[in-house]
Amino acid sequence: MNAMVLLGALSPWFGFLAVVLVFLLFFGPLVLGAVLIQERQVGIVVKRFATRALPPGRFVAMGGEAGYQADTLAPGLHFGYWRWQYRIIKVPVTVVPQGEIALVLAADGAAIPPERILGKIVECDNYQDARKFLVNDGEKGRQLGILTAGTYRINVALFTVITSATAAEHGMAPEQLLLQRVEPDQVGVVTTLDGRPIEAGEIAGPVIPGHDNFQNSQAFIDGGGRRGLQEQILLSGAWNLNPWFAQVEQVPMVQIPIGYVGVVISYVGMAHEDVSGVEFKHGDLVVAGHKGVWVTPLYPGKHPINTRVMKVELVPTTNIVLNWATRTEAHHYDEKLSSITVRSKDGFAFNLDVAQIIHVGALDAPKVISRVGSMQNLVDHVLQPIVGNYFRNSAQDYTVLDFLSARSQRQAEAAEHIRAAIGAYDVQAIDTLIGDINPPPALMETQTDRKIAEEQRKTYEVQEAAQKQRQQLVRQTSLADIQHEVVGAEQGVNIAELKANANVKQAAGDAEATRLRALGEAEAIRATGQAKAEAYRAGVEALGAQGYTVMQLMQIVGERNVRIVPDVAVSGANGSTGLVDGLLGVLLRRETA
C-alpha cells in the first residue's frame, strides 16, 4: 500500500525524466555537446579551431591546439563536445586475434635517431595512451613494440595498427603477422634488422642477455644488441617477434649419427683461449662458447647448433678403410685415390693396390680437425702422401718378383712404418694391406712360362713318385695276397719241424725200445740157447748124437705138419702124361675137401 502511494508520488518525476532524455537524445548534441561512445568504440576527437596552432612538425595536439587530439573518448556519455567546435570520430576497438601479432606505425613523435630504423618502446599502455607516448618522447615511424593477442583502444589518429587483415594494405603478407613458430627438430637462426653495427672482424652479433629470445626488442637494443646475423638461436616453440625487427630462418638440428662425433668449429664467441696444452703444437683447442675448435666433441644425437656461424665436422669413430685402387668406399674419403705406380729395383714400373685401415678416437677427433681442418684434408694431405711415398721409396729396394714372392713381408714392413708416421697426427693405423700387384705383362709372361715349366717338372716328379708308390703298392698287394700262403708255409715248416722232432724223439724211443727189446730177446735167446744146449747135451748124452737128432727131426715134422707123403702122386706108367694127371688130381682133391 505504501509502495503504491510512493509510486504515485514519483510518477510526475518519471515523466519529467523521460522528457529530459528525449530532449537530450534529439537536442543534447546541439545544446549540451553530449557524445555517446559505445562499449566497443573509441572516440577520436578532432578540434575544429583553437586560439593556438600546432607546433611545426606535430600532428597530434596535446595542449588544446586545433586538429587531432591526443586524448580519446572512452565508452560512455560525454558532454561539452559541441559540433560547431569538435568532430568526434567513432572507430571500433582494435582486436588482435589469437596466434597473431599487430605492428604499430606512429604518425607523430620524436625523430628516430639515424643509427636506428625503429621507434623505441616507451611507457604508453601498449599504445593506448597517446599522450604518454608523446610525453615520454615516443618516436614516429615504425615501432619496436608490438601488440599481442587482445583488444586495444587505440587512437588511430596517432597510431596505425597493422594486423593480418590489413597487412596487404601496407605491403605485407598476412603470414608475417602470425606467431613465429619453430618446428620440432629445427632451430631458428635469427637476423635482427635494428641495433648497433656488428664489430669489425665479427660475422654475427654476440649473445645479449635479458631480451626474452628477441621478444623484448627494446631490451635487446638497450643491451647493446647488434643488427645482422645473431649467434643466439631460437629453439622449438612459438615466439612473439616483430618482423620489422627480427627475421627467422629455420634450419635442421645438427644430427650426429652413431659411430661418429661432431667437432665444432666456431667462428663466433668469446676471445680465443687455447687449452690444448704445450704438447700439442700443431693447432689450438678452446672450450665451448669460445671462438675456435671446441675441445669437447658432440656425441651421437641431435644438437641445436647455429650452422650459420658454426661448422660441425663429422669424424667417424669406427674403422675407416681407404683404398688406393679403383674401388671407393661409401664414405667417399678415398674418391680421389688411385692405384700407386712404383718402380722396382730391376727397373720395372708396376701398379700396386693398397688398403689402409685407420681409426680416430672420439677424444682425438678435435686434435685431428684442429691440425688438418677436415677428414678429407686428412686423407688428401696426410695419408695420401705418407702411404704413396712409402711404397714408391721402398719399391726401389726390391725387384718385382720380391713383391710377388715376399708380399706378406713387404706388407708387414709397410704397416709398421705407416703406423708410426700417422701416429704423429693422432690417428691410429689399424692395418696396411697390399692388394693386387700388376707387374709388366712381358715379365709376367716370362714368369708364367717359367712357372709352368716348374709346375710341369713338379708334375713329372709327382707322377714318378706316384709310379714308384704304385709299384710299391702292387708289391705290397702281392705280398698281402700270398701272405696267407707264407703263413701256411711257415706254419707247415713249424709243424714239420715239430713232427720231425717228434719223429726223432719217437725214433729215439723206438730205437731205445728196440735196443732194450733186442737185449731182452738176446738174453732170452741166449737163455733158450743155453737151455737147448743143455737139453741137446743131455739128449746126446742119453740117446747119443744120431738117435737124438732123429728124434728132433720127427718132432719138427709133427709140430710143423710137414707132409712126408704127397697128396697126389703122379707116375708116368702106362703111357699117361704125368703133368695132366697131377693137375686132375689137384682139382679132385679141392672138390672133395
Side-chain angles (χ1 to χ4, degrees):
M1 188 67 181
N2 294 331
M4 294 179 62
V5 173
L6 179 62
L7 289 173
L10 294 177
S11 296
W13 292 102
F14 282 123
F16 177 75
L17 290 175
V19 173
V20 170
L21 289 176
V22 172
F23 176 80
L24 291 176
L25 180 62
F26 290 98
F27 301 102
L30 296 175
V31 177
L32 302 176
V35 177
L36 179 63
I37 305 299
Q38 302 294 330
E39 292 181 357
R40 298 188 64 82
Q41 290 181 338
V42 178
I44 308 300
V45 181
V46 181
K47 195 171 185 179
R48 298 180 183 275
F49 61 90
T51 58
R52 290 181 298 174
L54 284 173
R58 300 303 298 267
F59 179 74
V60 177
M62 294 180 60
E65 300 89 350
Y68 286 102
Q69 302 298 300
D71 300 320
T72 60
L73 299 181
L77 187 61
H78 302 270
F79 298 96
Y81 293 94
W82 294 277
R83 289 186 178 182
W84 54 269
Q85 187 177 11
Y86 296 97
R87 182 166 65 96
I88 308 301
I89 303 173
K90 299 177 181 180
V91 297
V93 295
T94 300
V95 178
V96 180
Q98 291 292 330
E100 298 183 10
I101 63 170
L103 303 179
V104 179
L105 184 64
D108 201 353
I112 297 176
E115 67 272 12
R116 296 199 352 259
I117 63 173
L118 298 177
K120 65 183 179 180
I121 298 176
V122 298
E123 176 59 35
C124 60
D125 190 18
N126 287 316
Y127 303 100
Q128 296 181 103
D129 192 334
R131 181 174 292 277
K132 280 187 178 181
F133 177 83
L134 296 173
V135 169
N136 293 331
D137 295 327
E139 298 167 344
K140 68 175 64 176
R142 294 181 174 183
Q143 300 297 302
L144 274 173
I146 60 173
L147 298 178
T148 57
T151 301
Y152 302 89
R153 300 183 182 281
I154 303 296
N155 187 340
V156 295
L158 176 59
F159 301 112
T160 300
V161 179
I162 305 173
T163 63
S164 60
T166 61
E169 300 174 9
H170 300 274
M172 299 184 67
E175 54 269 17
Q176 289 182 275
L177 299 176
L178 300 178
L179 292 183
Q180 181 65 54
R181 297 185 182 275
V182 178
E183 301 298 330
D185 295 335
Q186 302 278 319
V187 294
V189 178
V190 179
T191 301
T192 58
L193 305 177
D194 202 355
R196 298 179 185 178
I198 294 177
E199 295 182 357
E202 300 291 341
I203 65 171
V207 176
I208 303 298
H211 56 80
D212 192 17
N213 291 300
F214 304 98
Q215 297 180 109
N216 189 342
S217 52
Q218 190 61 53
F220 177 85
I221 298 294
D222 295 340
R226 311 287 175 166
R227 72 179 64 182
L229 183 63
Q230 298 297 306
E231 179 182 347
Q232 183 178 349
I233 58 175
L234 294 178
L235 300 180
S236 175
W239 310 97
N240 291 311
L241 298 182
N242 187 339
W244 288 339
F245 167 70
Q247 296 178 348
V248 179
E249 175 191 6
Q250 295 192 46
V251 298
M253 284 188 178
V254 174
Q255 183 171 354
I256 309 299
I258 298 296
Y260 288 79
V261 295
V263 178
V264 179
I265 305 172
S266 178
Y267 305 111
V268 296
M270 291 180 284
H272 180 90
E273 294 181 5
D274 184 22
V275 295
S276 60
V278 295
E279 296 181 357
F280 188 69
K281 304 181 183 301
H282 303 281
D284 296 331
L285 299 174
V286 299
V287 296
H290 288 252
K291 186 183 299 185
V293 180
W294 290 2
V295 68
T296 304
L298 302 179
Y299 290 94
K302 293 182 178 180
H303 302 268
I305 298 295
N306 188 343
T307 54
R308 295 293 182 266
V309 296
M310 297 178 186
K311 178 183 179 183
V312 178
E313 186 70 26
L314 290 179
V315 178
T317 54
T318 55
N319 289 348
I320 305 172
V321 180
L322 303 171
N323 296 302
W324 276 260
T326 56
R327 184 179 62 181
T328 300
E329 297 293 334
H331 49 63
H332 294 295
Y333 292 138
D334 54 357
E335 194 171 20
K336 299 179 182 178
L337 302 179
S338 58
S339 299
I340 303 173
T341 302
V342 299
R343 188 171 296 276
S344 64
K345 183 179 181 180
D346 47 359
F348 289 103
F350 62 96
N351 293 329
L352 192 65
D353 290 350
V354 176
Q356 179 64 51
I357 305 174
I358 64 172
H359 173 75
V360 178
L363 297 179
D364 292 329
K367 297 180 181 179
V368 174
I369 298 304
S370 177
R371 186 193 299 264
V372 299
S374 67
M375 286 298 295
Q376 191 62 57
N377 288 344
L378 175 67
V379 175
D380 295 342
H381 303 157
V382 177
L383 296 175
Q384 198 276 341
I386 288 178
V387 175
N389 288 336
Y390 169 78
F391 282 103
R392 293 186 187 95
N393 295 335
S394 63
Q396 297 178 356
D397 298 330
Y398 305 99
T399 65
V400 177
L401 299 181
D402 287 338
F403 267 91
L404 293 173
S405 61
R407 170 177 172 173
S408 60
Q409 183 178 355
R410 303 288 87 79
Q411 179 173 289
E413 294 172 353
E416 181 179 358
H417 173 84
I418 294 173
R419 183 177 295 109
I422 68 176
Y425 293 86
D426 299 296
V427 178
Q428 303 174 32
I430 303 302
D431 203 356
T432 302
L433 306 173
I434 297 178
D436 292 339
I437 301 175
N438 302 308
L443 178 63
M444 285 306 299
E445 184 177 354
T446 303
Q447 183 69 12
T448 301
D449 293 342
R450 183 184 304 173
K451 189 65 177 179
I452 292 174
E454 182 179 353
E455 292 299 325
Q456 288 178 343
R457 179 180 61 80
K458 291 182 179 180
T459 301
Y460 297 150
E461 292 177 355
V462 171
Q463 290 176 346
E464 181 181 2
Q467 291 296 333
K468 291 181 179 179
Q469 188 173 4
R470 189 178 67 81
Q471 294 174 1
Q472 185 68 21
L473 178 61
V474 171
R475 185 179 297 108
Q476 294 297 328
T477 302
S478 300
L479 290 177
D481 292 340
I482 65 174
Q483 187 66 30
H484 66 282
E485 298 180 3
V486 173
V487 173
E490 290 179 351
Q491 295 299 323
V493 171
N494 292 335
I495 293 172
E497 289 180 354
L498 292 175
K499 288 182 177 181
N501 291 334
N503 292 332
V504 170
K505 290 183 179 181
Q506 184 176 1
D510 292 344
E512 183 64 22
T514 303
R515 186 180 66 80
L516 293 176
R517 187 167 55 253
L519 288 177
E521 290 177 353
E523 290 295 331
I525 293 172
R526 186 180 298 111
T528 303
Q530 289 178 357
K532 288 181 177 182
E534 292 295 333
Y536 285 157
R537 191 178 300 111
V540 169
E541 291 179 357
L543 297 179
Q546 187 174 3
Y548 186 76
T549 301
V550 173
M551 186 183 66
Q552 288 294 322
L553 289 173
M554 292 301 293
Q555 185 177 356
I556 293 169
V557 170
E559 293 176 356
R560 302 291 178 89
N561 293 322
V562 177
R563 295 179 179 177
I564 299 175
V565 178
D567 292 332
V568 178
V570 179
S571 66
N574 298 321
S576 62
T577 302
L579 181 57
V580 176
D581 293 338
L583 293 172
L584 292 174
V586 172
L587 292 174
L588 291 174
R589 186 177 182 279
R590 289 181 178 177
E591 291 292 334
T592 60

